[in-house]
Amino acid sequence: MFTRFHLSMAWLHTWFGLVLGYVLMACFFFGTLSVFDREFDRWALPDTRFEPQPMPSFDKVLQPAFAQLQPSPVEYDLQMPVLHDPALGAPTPRLQLPPDEYWAYTTHRDPVLAIGAGFRVPLAKDPTAENHIHGDATLDPRSGALVRADQLKIGSQWFYPMHYGLNWHWNNLGIYIVGLAALGMLAALVSGVVMHRKVFKEFFTFRPKKHTQRATLDLHNLTGVVALPFHFFFAFTGLLIFAGYYWFPVSQFQLKALHDQHEVVEARHTGLPHARSGVAAPLASVDAMVAEAQRRWAARDAAGQVGFLQLHHLGDANGYVSVYRAGSDRVALVGEGIHFKASTGEVLREDPAPSAVGQITEFLTGLHLQHFKHWLLRWLYVLGGLLGCVCIATGFVFFVEKRKQQHAKTDALGSRLVDALAVTTVTGMVLAAVGMLVANRLLPAELANKGEWEKWSFWGVWLLALVHALARSGPVARARINPAWREQSWALAVLAVAAVVLNAVTTGDHLLKTVITAPYWPVAGVDLSLLVTAGVAVWAARHLARRERPATAPTTNAHPTPLAEVAHG
Amino acid sequence: MAEALWLITAGALSLAGMAWLALAMEGHWSQVMQRPAEAAIRTRQALRMFGAIALPLALLACLQADRPSMAVLVWLMLLAGSAVLVAMLLAHRPQALRAALPLGGPGGPGIRRGAS
Amino acid sequence: MTRNARIATPFPRLDIGLRIVCATLGGWAFSWGLVACGTAALAGLGLSFHDAEAAMQMLGLLSLLGILLWSVAGTSAVQIAGWLVGGATLLNAGAWLLQRALLA
């Protein structure tokens, strides 16, 4: 297609970057917010604003809570026709599905913990398959009470899934689109390095006083190169996490037979039964098992908290309990699993150290999923994420600026559209996130389906931002700046401050309290970050106002031969 | 507490190293020192060497604070943050980077005052 | 980027279109086959199935990336498509045959 490799890389970088960049902005921005997802949850759900708790007692707290879980009605309607064999009898009613599996999960940042159950379909088409219909809940470990189900955890249930799936669940299309974007990111990084010949010479170069194209390209190169390992590894590990299920599900397709055989062999080898026996058996004290697990970890010089608790084949003689250690002090997630026979409490197996491949995979997925306790590294991750956002945003700005003069003469619509979409994905996206927080404080706490209302507010604000950006994009056709950038920056400043004020007014947790008198850093951190965001937005708005003024503004092509100067490389 | 001190040390080494590597470059030297780069070749070579040593030393400091798997991540991100900080200083307050030079060194500010 | 840096092709839009299909769907089919075949081969060589699968997933992602770059930079879009279709077929067939052999 092109005479030289570096030209084809430039084409790839520009066009794949432009098209997939809009999706990547969402991934990087919401990924950045996800570093502190549980802190956003605390902000959005004031009832959960207490200190993180260790895994509570199963016998006293968890077991009664599990007994209250029910299979999800939505999943029941979807899965019963798939799993149930009508020839064996009528479909088992939802509330009569027997529970087969319980799990509970907590990290060092969780006041409330996530619990769930897998209910089995007794008359199943394929009795050897798992056949689970799930029910989940959130538990307050201090009281054993379940948290209201229709309250949305804005961090872990909205921002976090937004970054890997755009919260678009139809046939998991969102996940596939993000996957394609992540692949595009890797390609953009490689092609970017190929194009940027002065990678070392211009490592520290940023010339903000030069005209827009040069300054923007400098910033794009700087933010891309300086955090190159971060950008590459986050895109790669993100893809790796979903690889076995979405991109290369060989275990479910070509190699299902090999995979299933391996499961049976492994069950025999580990002594952990693969299926139910059909013989009923009681459950011994799980608390005793947990205590034994903690004793064994301490004996191995790896004392720790329980991160994940799982009960398999409930009520069956083949039942076993798995206790995993929370990996707060390392990159790998949970580990050192110890498995107990459910009916007697004897140790069936202590997981050995993972294989070399296992260790590599644990490290790679762990560095992305971040369950470690290291506040500096978390904030450094936020820095990396923001650098990625700036890289992508400056990419858009550079694209538009470079073609502005040309497009002013020929194709005004293309330039206007790209610019309006850029406004929507940069300022518009932040507006949607902050707007959702504001809605969370404005909507009454007792409102039924409050979570759904908050989601609508999010999409509504984002849509408004798009409409506004399109409506105001006229000047782009005349090679000027779209005033929507400045106007949305002001709106963001106002909304961010409003969110902080509303939090203080509606919950009483104002900054003086959360920082000084009764410190609670999850909420203080979100409030302070909102104020910093407002500050940056005001600075940006004023900076843009200066650039927009015709007398003093540097035009986008102040030099007679600008293209030569900003040729890539 | 010890962990925090080691991390602060790592941060300082990382920042110093990036600043020295930047100053060792011709364009940035003249930008910060307001003097020609050709006149300070020895100093810049020394700066490049110190910079090249400071960065791995920062990794060693990180390794004192955390397990190796986390230490490597902290180090890479500290390098990124330091590089961005140095770039922003060069862009907006280049003179601030004079603080990265040892006082009274061969390229020190005091010696040349008044010279044309 | 100047116009005359492009190699003349009879149908430029089709050429770009084919390359994009190769870069995405073609790369996916080929890499999926690579992961399946490689996993079966490694499992046959003694690695645990999970380890074999995990190792191949990583290589599969790198393969996706490599094919994307090749699809854009390579000289002939038709040749690239040929290699990808042929390769994907061979690899997927290979995986199926290997599995049969291993389970026999």
Side-chain angles (χ1 to χ4, degrees):
Chain A
M1 193 160 70
F2 290 98
T3 49
R4 280 156 43 221
F5 180 62
H6 133 270
L7 289 174
S8 61
M9 290 297 103
W11 181 90
L12 172 66
H13 189 98
T14 305
W15 296 105
F16 274 65
L18 179 69
V19 172
L20 297 170
Y22 297 115
V23 177
L24 284 169
M25 265 311 280
C27 300
F28 267 82
F29 178 65
F30 290 106
T32 305
L33 295 185
S34 297
V35 175
F36 288 109
D37 57 354
R38 286 157 165 85
E39 284 71 13
F40 280 107
D41 292 346
R42 305 287 78 73
W43 197 95
L45 303 176
D47 288 340
T48 64
R49 290 180 188 180
F50 51 91
E51 294 308 310
Q53 306 286 309
M55 180 80 78
S57 150
F58 177 90
D59 301 343
K60 298 197 203 74
V61 178
L62 289 177
Q63 193 163 37
F66 281 127
Q68 292 177 58
L69 289 178
Q70 293 175 359
S72 146
V74 172
E75 195 180 333
Y76 179 82
D77 290 338
L78 223 62
Q79 289 288 83
M80 267 314 255
V82 176
L83 300 174
H84 173 81
D85 186 348
L88 296 173
T92 323
R94 183 173 69 91
L95 296 175
Q96 286 177 25
L97 290 174
D100 187 46
E101 179 183 274
Y102 286 156
W103 58 265
Y105 182 58
T106 191
T107 70
H108 66 273
R109 288 159 60 219
D110 288 318
V112 293
L113 74 152
I115 64 171
F119 298 86
R120 79 191 151 84
V121 176
L123 307 171
K125 286 187 190 140
D126 178 8
T128 63
E130 197 187 54
N131 298 318
H132 278 174
I133 295 181
H134 304 94
D136 305 325
T138 307
L139 182 72
D140 181 339
R142 302 168 307 174
S143 61
L146 297 181
V147 169
R148 248 177 73 189
D150 65 338
Q151 287 192 314
L152 183 69
K153 292 180 195 159
I154 289 186
S156 43
Q157 289 176 327
W158 190 254
F159 293 159
Y160 175 56
M162 190 79 205
H163 104 280
Y164 65 73
L166 307 177
N167 280 316
W168 190 13
H169 303 293
W170 185 77
N171 285 326
N172 290 319
L173 200 58
I175 295 187
Y176 283 98
I177 291 176
V178 171
L180 180 62
L183 183 63
M185 177 84 195
L186 293 175
L189 289 168
V190 172
S191 55
V193 168
V194 168
M195 287 161 71
H196 185 42
R197 285 158 168 172
K198 299 186 199 149
V199 140
F200 292 113
K201 193 150 179 252
E202 290 187 353
F203 192 77
F204 299 101
T205 303
F206 176 40
R207 293 162 285 195
K209 304 246 169 43
K210 291 231 166 183
H211 61 283
T212 312
Q213 272 190 65
R214 183 72 258 174
T216 309
L217 187 58
D218 277 352
L219 194 54
H220 181 77
N221 293 339
L222 176 71
T223 51
V225 171
V226 130
L228 196 62
F230 176 89
H231 301 324
F232 190 91
F233 270 91
F234 264 84
F236 184 80
T237 56
L239 283 167
L240 190 61
I241 289 168
F242 279 156
Y245 194 77
Y246 292 104
W247 326 135
F248 309 124
V250 295
S251 296
Q252 308 308 314
F253 288 90
Q254 297 102 316
L255 301 185
K256 183 158 180 10
L258 206 58
H259 166 261
D260 289 346
Q261 183 218 43
H262 171 84
E263 297 263 284
V264 172
V265 168
E266 188 173 334
R268 247 185 270 136
H269 168 69
T270 58
L272 301 176
H274 180 58
R276 300 178 74 92
S277 65
V279 177
L283 180 64
S285 162
V286 175
D287 286 353
M289 299 178 210
V290 166
E292 174 63 15
Q294 288 189 296
R295 192 193 65 78
R296 288 184 176 229
W297 294 332
R300 273 194 258 164
D301 205 23
Q305 294 291 332
V306 178
F308 189 59
L309 187 61
Q310 197 175 17
L311 282 75
H312 309 258
H313 312 313
L314 279 172
D316 190 271
N318 274 356
Y320 65 96
V321 177
S322 305
V323 184
Y324 294 94
R325 182 179 173 282
S328 322
D329 58 348
R330 67 194 45 187
V331 174
L333 297 180
V334 290
E336 280 89 12
I338 304 189
H339 310 271
F340 301 81
K341 192 168 165 69
S343 50
T344 61
E346 71 172 286
V347 174
L348 287 175
R349 173 181 167 82
E350 276 192 43
D351 282 345
S355 62
V357 174
Q359 283 182 8
I360 295 175
T361 320
E362 269 187 12
F363 174 72
L364 289 176
T365 52
L367 80 82
H368 194 115
L369 295 171
Q370 303 159 36
H371 288 282
F372 44 73
K373 185 174 183 174
H374 198 303
W375 298 107
L376 173 65
L377 187 54
R378 265 181 203 280
W379 279 107
L380 288 172
Y381 271 15
V382 168
L383 174 69
L386 291 176
L387 288 174
C389 291
V390 172
C391 191
I392 299 165
T394 48
F396 287 140
V397 172
F398 180 75
F399 181 95
V400 172
E401 292 298 307
K402 187 167 182 223
R403 291 163 180 76
K404 239 177 199 174
Q405 293 293 344
Q406 239 173 290
H407 281 199
K409 293 179 207 134
T410 56
D411 171 19
L413 207 57
S415 201
R416 283 178 67 172
L417 187 61
V418 171
D419 184 87
L421 287 174
V423 175
T424 315
T425 18
V426 178
T427 47
M429 190 164 59
V430 188
L431 274 169
V434 177
M436 192 178 193
L437 294 178
V438 169
N440 169 270
R441 292 292 90 221
L442 284 176
L443 294 168
E446 324 76 43
L447 181 66
N449 285 319
K450 184 172 178 200
E452 295 304 305
W453 284 100
E454 290 166 347
K455 292 179 194 173
W456 283 114
S457 320
F458 176 88
W459 294 119
V461 171
W462 210 348
L463 189 61
L464 258 176
L466 171 65
V467 170
H468 172 247
L470 281 168
R472 302 290 276 149
S473 62
V476 178
R478 298 187 299 279
R480 307 224 76 89
I481 300 180
N482 185 341
W485 289 102
R486 171 177 45 84
E487 290 160 0
Q488 289 192 12
S489 298
W490 279 118
L492 180 58
V494 167
L495 271 185
V497 172
V500 176
V501 168
L502 282 167
N503 178 41
V505 164
T506 57
T507 67
D509 290 335
H510 53 83
L511 273 170
L512 279 174
K513 178 176 167 201
T514 54
V515 175
I516 303 177
T517 60
Y520 192 69
W521 284 106
V523 171
V526 174
D527 277 348
L528 288 170
S529 303
L530 283 165
L531 289 179
V532 168
T533 304
V536 171
V538 168
W539 173 86
R542 296 179 57 179
H543 177 81
L544 285 162
R546 274 196 303 274
R547 290 208 103 118
E548 279 176 54
R549 252 174 262 134
T552 50
T555 54
T556 55
N557 275 332
H559 297 235
T561 52
L563 292 177
E565 193 189 331
V566 294
H568 313 285
Chain B
M1 191 55 208
E3 182 190 335
L5 285 174
W6 278 116
L7 289 174
I8 292 175
T9 310
L13 280 167
S14 170
L15 187 57
M18 284 293 176
W20 291 333
L21 286 173
L23 284 169
M25 294 164 78
E26 281 181 17
H28 297 310
W29 173 271
S30 351
Q31 196 188 349
V32 172
M33 305 306 293
Q34 301 291 312
R35 282 203 305 277
E38 300 75 32
I41 295 187
R42 286 282 182 81
T43 315
R44 290 194 293 116
Q45 277 173 346
L47 283 172
R48 188 164 293 134
M49 189 188 66
F50 281 121
I53 294 174
L55 298 185
L57 278 181
L59 174 58
L60 283 177
C62 288
L63 287 165
Q64 301 304 314
D66 294 305
R67 305 168 76 106
S69 55
M70 299 235 274
V72 167
L73 301 178
V74 176
W75 180 63
L76 285 171
M77 297 313 297
L78 280 177
L79 291 182
S82 308
V84 168
L85 190 51
V86 168
M88 289 302 153
L89 285 173
L90 283 169
H92 297 104
R93 293 258 180 290
Q95 295 82 358
L97 281 169
R98 290 189 193 173
L101 286 174
L103 293 167
I111 299 173
R112 298 280 187 118
R113 194 169 300 163
S116 60
Chain C
M1 218 176 316
T2 49
R3 284 276 134 193
N4 55 20
R6 291 187 120 110
I7 299 173
T9 42
F11 305 104
R13 286 258 161 86
L14 223 60
D15 187 81
I16 293 182
L18 184 59
R19 285 174 188 270
I20 293 178
V21 169
C22 286
T24 51
L25 296 172
W28 194 4
F30 184 96
S31 307
W32 192 331
L34 181 67
V35 173
C37 198
T39 304
L42 286 175
L45 284 172
L47 231 62
S48 92
F49 185 83
H50 281 136
D51 281 357
E53 199 186 357
M56 286 315 300
Q57 307 283 5
M58 291 189 252
L59 289 177
L61 289 181
L62 292 175
S63 161
L64 273 179
L65 176 60
I67 292 174
L68 203 170
L69 297 171
W70 179 46
S71 298
V72 173
T75 358
S76 159
V78 175
Q79 258 188 29
I80 295 169
W83 278 106
L84 289 177
V85 169
T89 318
L90 277 173
L91 286 168
N92 277 294
W96 183 74
L97 285 169
L98 267 172
Q99 182 177 235
R100 267 187 45 168
L102 286 172
L103 291 175

